[in-house]
Amino acid sequence: MSKGNSPVLSGPLQVKAGKKMDVSVKKQKIISAAVTLAAIIWLPQMLLSSGKGLDFSNSFLSVLLWALSFPAVDKALWKDGSLQEKKGWRFFFAFVFVLACLFGRRLESAGYVDFTDWGMWISIPFLTFFFGLLTGRLWQWLEGKRTLPAYQEARMSERRKNLVVFLFFLVIWGIVLLAVYPGFFVYDAQDEFNQVALRNFTTHHPLLHVLLLGGIISLGNKLFSSYNMGIALYMLFQMAVMAGCFTYVLSFFRKRGTSGWFRAAGFLYFAFFPVIQMYVLCSAKDTLYSAGMLLVIVLLLQLFEERESAVSWKTYGLLLVSLFVMAAMRHNGFYILLLLIPVTGIGADKNKRKKVLAAGIGALALYLLVTGGLGRLLHAQENGENQEMLTVPIQQLARVYSCSPSVFTKEQREVLLTFLPEEALQRYTPKLSDRVKIDFNNESYKENPSQFWKLWWSVGRKAPAAYLNAWLLTSYGFWYPDAVIDVYRGNTVFTYTYEDSSYFGFETELPGVRESKIPFLNEWFRRLSLELFQQKVPVLSMLFSPGFLFLIYLSGLLFLMKQKEFGRVLAFLPVVLNWGTVILGPTYLVRYVLIFWFALPVLGYVVSTGKLCYTNGKTDVFP
């Protein structure tokens, strides 16, 4: 025995132990190889297939993928301790990822999910286990790469840097504005402008945005006798707002002492990434709504992580304004605000709780005062339409009527036609509910809402798969990375007809007219918007995918949960709540989840850095 009372093997015993260890290692290798092979065998269930379905199984790619995956699986199984962890966040992410790809692949290729497909269900545990192991390896790598940001007090030179960044944004976007002059005047913009022009207001769209858009355009037309100048003037206003928001985010990164390359990447991303440029120069209310939400996220990070002494009253004031803008620019923003108030109050420490709650309640009061006051001042007609809230059940009933009309009894059919006329039901399109819900009979619903819900329930009991498919088809672009956004296929809008892609509303609608000063750049945006263009570029195409970014956010937030950084997760609650509202909407479009792109550098910051440190003479880690 040695001094430490540990047995020392020598001679034949040592050789025998070594052989046992070799056998054990070999068994582990065989198990790892089998786990990897099982996942590769079932992987085609997740992949879009064409022809005979041999694209992957009868390809060298399957061998290459097995060879590349095997080392990671082997290490995750036997060296990382993945299976010993009590909290299986990685396997939860893998389960969601696998389910999204399994369902999404079928919706994209066949137009429905066959819930009786036994192969799909059997593949789930194999693929979940496989991708859970790979996710664990990725998270371990991230843990090793994380740095500790150091809080730095603001200096006078910061203001000059911020001004330079702000002006640079305006110059770059100004060049794009010349290319698409007077800007992308689409997505309800014509309706909002007409409300101001005709002095006939409704609460269908947020009144504050209606007045901003219509008022600035009318002012520009009055000053310059040109509606194009008015639209361009609104774009300049929005450019300034967005430049200010993105400059604030980059300043936040500088104060946290993030690396120079990270700040440079964020700067270039905000300035040049096409989705950012498209919506900075787009009249849709989603831009200002997402800008408010972006600032809410950053401000909550500050309030949850920084010391009370480092948080000024200006931060709370800016939080109030940002929450108000978020709520006032889109109707779902109001519901997000209602949920944020108690949650952020709980998430803040006791020294800041009252001030955070005061900012949230103040934003709510300001919202009610402004929206209510504008409604009375403008004599706005209340939006008595219920179809926006009933999008999913309307689409479900329409799908059953279109695909399985025999499900309806004679009495049920008569009841259905009191809410939805025959011509509306015949316009059913799987990925877009607008064509059906536009003719929904609100008067009949107001008179007898229980009749509608009884019909919905009784039909759904007989056709649950059709109901589920109806909802999945209008939402899968928000969670399936390979989805092609073509929801407006065949629709004619002003001067063009949507065909292969409905990625972005490229047009300048009346009263504006497109007058490009840089035609080749205008053509670039046309192809990004209306053709399968960026979708054909491997890897980079995923940066344009809402479904891919959903998975990135899910993985990032679950990684933070694993690190027990719950305050940072709470800061991203607006993103989560926004996604939860839009998957119940009429279709899937980039503009509904624009915050995915705006807040992406902020997600990158929280995932790549640990808890905040302060540098005031000596460094101490913020608890």
Side-chain angles (χ1 to χ4, degrees), residues 278-558:
M278 286 171 173
Y279 282 93
V280 166
L281 298 172
C282 179
S283 58
K285 51 186 172 284
D286 308 271
T287 301
L288 295 180
Y289 164 73
S290 300
M293 187 175 288
L294 172 63
L295 289 182
V296 168
I297 294 167
V298 174
L299 291 164
L300 288 178
L301 281 174
Q302 290 182 249
L303 293 171
F304 289 160
E305 293 191 334
E306 293 179 4
R307 292 170 170 169
E308 174 65 19
S309 59
V311 180
S312 69
W313 64 268
K314 294 180 181 179
T315 304
Y316 294 103
L318 187 55
L319 177 63
L320 187 155
V321 172
S322 300
L323 287 167
F324 165 73
V325 170
M326 180 187 72
M329 289 297 123
R330 278 196 71 91
H331 294 313
N332 56 332
F334 168 68
Y335 300 107
I336 293 173
L337 172 60
L338 288 179
L339 290 170
L340 274 180
I341 292 173
V343 174
T344 53
I346 294 170
D349 63 58
K350 61 182 181 180
N351 295 323
K352 304 173 193 165
R353 186 166 297 144
K354 290 182 180 179
K355 294 178 181 178
V356 171
L357 285 172
I361 295 171
L364 177 62
L366 183 61
Y367 168 84
L368 295 174
L369 180 65
V370 171
T371 55
L374 287 176
R376 287 189 292 272
L377 182 65
L378 301 172
H379 303 289
Q381 181 182 349
E382 287 294 327
N383 180 23
E385 299 176 348
N386 298 284
Q387 58 260 54
E388 297 301 328
M389 300 294 291
L390 301 176
T391 287
V392 174
I394 288 173
Q395 190 75 342
Q396 289 171 330
L397 287 167
R399 181 174 180 83
V400 176
Y401 187 85
S402 175
C403 301
S404 307
S406 60
V407 169
F408 288 87
T409 64
K410 182 180 178 181
E411 292 76 16
Q412 288 174 333
R413 185 177 183 277
E414 290 174 355
V415 173
L416 176 64
L417 293 178
T418 63
F419 295 104
L420 290 164
E422 180 80 30
E423 55 269 24
L425 292 166
Q426 290 177 352
R427 291 196 300 265
Y428 169 76
T429 51
K431 299 179 183 180
L432 180 67
S433 68
D434 290 350
R435 294 180 179 181
V436 177
K437 72 175 185 177
I438 192 172
D439 286 329
F440 182 73
N441 192 327
N442 285 285
E443 293 303 321
S444 295
Y445 182 80
K446 289 177 183 177
E447 290 175 7
N448 196 351
S450 62
Q451 187 181 40
F452 175 84
W453 289 110
K454 286 178 182 177
L455 172 68
W456 176 80
W457 175 254
S458 61
V459 173
R461 290 175 62 187
K462 293 185 284 184
Y467 267 31
L468 186 53
N469 273 309
W471 171 55
L472 294 176
L473 281 163
T474 57
S475 66
Y476 79 97
F478 290 133
W479 43 264
Y480 177 51
D482 298 354
V484 174
I485 300 177
D486 59 353
V487 298
Y488 290 138
R489 180 186 290 271
N491 281 20
T492 299
V493 182
F494 198 41
T495 62
Y496 63 88
T497 299
Y498 284 107
E499 295 180 1
D500 292 334
S501 176
S502 316
Y503 191 80
F504 178 66
F506 168 77
E507 190 58 86
T508 299
E509 296 180 3
L510 293 174
V513 179
R514 178 65 51 82
E515 297 176 351
S516 175
K517 315 300 181 184
I518 312 175
F520 80 89
L521 194 53
N522 181 68
E523 174 63 12
W524 159 262
F525 282 103
R526 189 198 66 79
R527 297 188 68 184
L528 288 171
S529 305
L530 306 176
E531 295 182 8
L532 294 179
F533 181 53
Q534 68 274 22
Q535 294 90 340
K536 295 180 179 179
V537 184
V539 182
L540 293 181
S541 64
M542 288 293 99
L543 296 177
F544 292 83
S545 166
F548 178 76
L549 291 189
F550 159 72
L551 294 172
I552 291 294
Y553 275 84
L554 178 64
S555 177
L557 295 180
L558 289 176

Side-chain angles (χ1 to χ4, degrees), residues 535-595:
Q535 294 90 340
K536 295 180 179 179
V537 184
V539 182
L540 293 181
S541 64
M542 288 293 99
L543 296 177
F544 292 83
S545 166
F548 178 76
L549 291 189
F550 159 72
L551 294 172
I552 291 294
Y553 275 84
L554 178 64
S555 177
L557 295 180
L558 289 176
F559 173 75
L560 295 176
M561 293 284 286
K562 179 178 180 292
Q563 305 301 316
K564 298 182 179 180
E565 296 176 14
F566 303 116
R568 289 179 156 189
V569 175
L570 276 181
F572 281 85
L573 186 60
V575 179
V576 177
L577 294 175
N578 179 74
W579 184 84
T581 61
V582 299
I583 61 171
L584 299 175
T587 190
Y588 51 89
L589 289 171
V590 167
R591 70 188 187 103
Y592 296 144
V593 286
L594 184 58
I595 188 62

Side-chain angles (χ1 to χ4, degrees), residues 193-206:
F193 168 74
N194 286 338
Q195 288 189 40
V196 175
L198 302 175
R199 303 296 190 270
N200 184 17
F201 297 93
T202 72
T203 58
H204 182 73
H205 301 293

Side-chain angles (χ1 to χ4, degrees), residues 13 77 99 111 117 174 177 198 202 209 225 351 364 411 578 605:
L13 291 177
L77 276 173
L99 213 59
D117 180 358
L177 177 59
L198 302 175
T202 72
H209 188 263
S225 300
N351 295 323
L364 177 62
E411 292 76 16
N578 179 74
Y605 160 75

Side-chain angles (χ1 to χ4, degrees), residues 81-89:
S82 300
L83 303 181
Q84 282 71 46
E85 284 193 7
K86 294 181 180 179
K87 295 181 179 179
W89 293 117

